Amino acid sequence: MKSFIKYPKYSDFPIENLPYGVFSIESDTVPKIGVAIGDLILNLNEISHLFQGPQLKKKQYVFKESSLNAFMGLGQPAWKEARETIQKLLSENEPLLRDNAQLREKAFVPQSKATMHLPAKIGDYTDFYSSIHHATNVGVMFRDKNNALMPNWKYLPVGYHGRASSVVISGTPIYRPHGQTLAIEGAPPVFGPCKLMDFELEMAFFVGTPNNLGEPISISNAHKHIFGFVIMNDWSARDIQKWEYVPLGPFTAKNLGTTISPWVVTTLALEPFICENFPQDPEPFPYLKHSDKFNFDINLQVDITPKDSNVSTTVCRSNFKYLYWTVKQQLVHHTITGCNVNPGDLMGSGTISGDASDSFGSLLELSWKGTKPISLNDGTQRKFLQDGDTVTMRAFCEGDDYNIGFGVCAGQLLPAKKLAF
Ligand SMILES: O=C(O)/C=C/C(=O)CC(=O)CC(=O)O
Ligand SMILES: [Ca+2]
Ligand SMILES: [Mg+2]
């Protein structure tokens, strides 16, 4: 497959990818839906009239919106048709766009000139806890090393309902939060800025098609509801978390900002990178069981760049495929009670840690609760994040002739704001 748009061989955004995002430019601040190709954006608002297939001919308005929710809600046949249409329009043998200089002028925007926005209005956000290595590590550090995994963990995908309001787009600064912590075990808690700020390397999927309240999504239909994926940093205040989480789970330690990457890579684009599911023992309940492969080989990487430094250090290399529970199982379990999900809902995977100690997806694990500081290339060390640190996450699938990239999910940690009270 070749496009008339030129890009390097291993660009994040070849014609095989075509991720969706929402962007604006200086001369038109109304956000528009676009597709990344090389280092350009194809503005779908300008070419919505070219979607003439049976699914989209009467639904072209979805490409005129300022968020992807309506398009996400159309379902798989429409997503497929849109992908085929865009792929054809961009292919080297298709003259329609290639040879129409006027339309091309309107339809393409350099990514360097665009401001990216959240791809969807996120009504609800849930975060799972599906990496067995991460859950085991946290269990050892926070609780009991002999019973690190809770008895429920291998029976259901554990998760918590998160906070949609504080999900932000890559590039948004994050302030070190204030909160209560237990500085000295056994003494009363203290109040002040978080001392143990951390990142969590995650991916998240956007829900496409909704279900009705009272009608659980079945495992055989689950794939039809999963639109696509982004990289996610679930910034975590570990000292606040440790004191507050009993018995209801994460609360303010994780509502200070959750960063996502701007380009939604569709499940359709990820199909060539499907790999074996993680082995599950005990066998899941029938409502969660599926034999088809629905795991993805996606390389993940986390870099830390200290304040005012141009020296970055890769502190973690992991892979999406280390997740124990598949995203289909997460979605099915989420709705088994009849809970309804909506287009644009965001479902975090949980921190993705591998087995090896350099594949752990958080500083809590990488520095083993601060007992093993990690060395950065600028000569400094980290147990947890310092003010001014920028955390950059990357994700990409490696094909023979092309990569499917996710772009970056980045954010800088700023010092705690002075409280006015
Ligand atoms: O086990 C705990 O007490 C802590 C769990 C988490 O940190 C929750 C979370 O965000 C899950 C995850 O990212 O895997
Ligand atoms: Ca998390
Ligand atoms: Mg949040």
Side-chain angles (χ1 to χ4, degrees):
M1 222 179 302
K2 266 203 157 154
S3 174
F4 64 85
I5 301 291
K6 298 289 163 246
Y7 46 78
K9 186 163 180 193
Y10 293 109
S11 162
D12 267 355
F13 308 122
I15 191 168
E16 290 87 353
N17 191 349
L18 305 180
Y20 294 92
V22 171
F23 72 98
S24 62
I25 49 174
E26 214 175 347
S27 56
D28 182 1
T29 53
V30 180
K32 305 283 190 303
I33 291 174
V35 162
I37 175 84
D39 53 17
L40 299 177
I41 299 172
L42 175 60
N43 181 348
L44 298 193
N45 188 291
E46 292 291 345
I47 59 153
S48 62
H49 60 284
L50 300 179
F51 291 89
Q52 290 292 345
Q55 293 289 330
L56 292 164
K57 198 165 54 187
K58 294 197 172 124
K59 302 271 170 62
Q60 292 166 356
Y61 66 87
V62 299
F63 300 118
K64 297 259 176 203
E65 307 257 308
S66 283
S67 78
L68 283 161
N69 298 65
F71 177 53
M72 287 170 166
L74 291 184
Q76 234 187 1
W79 308 335
K80 228 174 156 167
E81 189 180 287
R83 178 174 169 79
E84 283 161 11
T85 303
I86 297 164
Q87 222 156 36
K88 180 156 187 274
L89 282 170
L90 291 172
S91 72
E92 68 176 347
N93 300 323
E94 171 60 47
L96 198 71
L97 201 48
R98 187 193 65 197
D99 298 346
N100 185 337
Q102 216 182 343
L103 186 56
R104 258 193 352 253
E105 181 63 30
K106 285 196 293 183
F108 288 105
V109 176
Q111 280 169 36
S112 58
K113 292 218 169 116
T115 301
M116 299 305 296
H117 302 272
L118 284 176
K121 288 197 181 70
I122 302 169
D124 279 300
Y125 153 54
T126 298
D127 193 20
F128 286 92
Y129 190 38
S130 288
S131 152
I132 192 164
H133 304 298
H134 173 68
T136 304
N137 289 339
V138 175
V140 168
M141 286 185 271
F142 273 25
R143 290 176 288 270
D144 175 4
K145 69 174 187 309
N146 297 313
N147 296 293
L149 276 190
M150 288 293 185
N152 60 0
W153 199 90
K154 286 186 169 181
Y155 286 92
L156 54 88
V158 168
Y160 66 96
H161 286 126
R163 186 74 202 164
S165 65
S166 52
V167 178
V168 296
I169 198 71
S170 178
T172 310
I174 299 292
Y175 290 94
R176 183 181 291 275
H178 287 83
Q180 293 186 26
T181 64
L182 203 59
I184 302 165
E185 205 72 42
V190 298
F191 178 82
C194 158
K195 291 203 169 83
L196 308 182
M197 248 329 257
D198 203 354
F199 62 78
E200 281 189 337
L201 169 63
E202 304 198 23
M203 300 215 48
F205 72 85
F206 275 102
V207 172
T209 335
N211 65 315
N212 294 321
L213 184 66
E215 296 173 12
I217 294 171
S218 69
I219 197 79
S220 56
N221 278 327
H223 62 286
K224 297 182 191 159
H225 296 264
I226 298 168
F227 176 78
F229 293 80
V230 291
I231 312 166
M232 187 173 104
N233 181 354
D234 183 20
W235 302 87
S236 297
R238 295 300 179 194
D239 42 357
I240 298 173
Q241 179 182 353
K242 183 146 200 261
W243 168 239
E244 76 172 2
Y245 88 98
V246 188
L248 292 187
F251 186 27
T252 65
K254 295 189 185 253
N255 71 8
L256 56 113
T258 303
T259 309
I260 62 170
S261 56
W263 294 107
V264 189
V265 175
T266 61
T267 316
L268 289 166
L270 292 174
E271 266 172 15
F273 303 94
I274 286 182
C275 63
E276 290 293 336
N277 301 332
F278 201 98
Q280 297 184 325
D281 183 19
E283 214 168 81
F285 281 101
Y287 81 97
L288 287 173
K289 212 169 131 176
H290 65 93
S291 52
D292 59 310
K293 293 190 242 175
F294 210 76
N295 197 5
F296 301 93
D297 186 355
I298 308 172
N299 298 295
L300 306 171
Q301 176 181 325
V302 184
D303 289 9
I304 294 179
T305 315
K307 182 174 187 267
D308 300 329
S309 166
N310 46 20
V311 185
S312 298
T313 306
T314 300
V315 295
C316 160
R317 287 179 212 276
S318 186
N319 195 299
F320 184 87
K321 70 184 176 191
Y322 300 146
L323 289 174
Y324 183 93
W325 294 102
T326 69
V327 290
K328 289 208 291 189
Q329 291 174 319
Q330 292 174 341
L331 183 59
V332 165
H333 184 71
H334 199 303
T335 67
I336 190 60
T337 51
C339 172
N340 51 330
V341 294
N342 287 305
D345 283 2
L346 188 70
M347 304 280 173
S349 59
T351 310
I352 309 176
S353 297
D355 203 3
S357 58
D358 60 353
S359 67
F360 295 166
S362 66
L363 283 175
L364 175 71
E365 297 164 271
L366 289 164
S367 77
W368 207 258
K369 240 186 351 183
T371 60
K372 292 188 202 159
I374 54 173
S375 297
L376 302 187
N377 294 333
D378 71 340
T380 61
Q381 290 194 321
R382 289 294 179 281
K383 297 173 178 172
F384 290 90
L385 293 171
Q386 289 184 6
D387 289 346
D389 283 352
T390 295
V391 178
T392 305
M393 299 178 171
R394 289 186 176 79
F396 60 98
C397 306
E398 263 177 305
D400 287 339
D401 302 323
Y402 64 92
N403 283 357
I404 294 284
F406 287 74
V408 300
C409 173
Q412 187 179 29
L413 178 66
L414 299 184
K417 274 192 176 170
K418 230 179 149 64
L419 294 179
F421 49 86

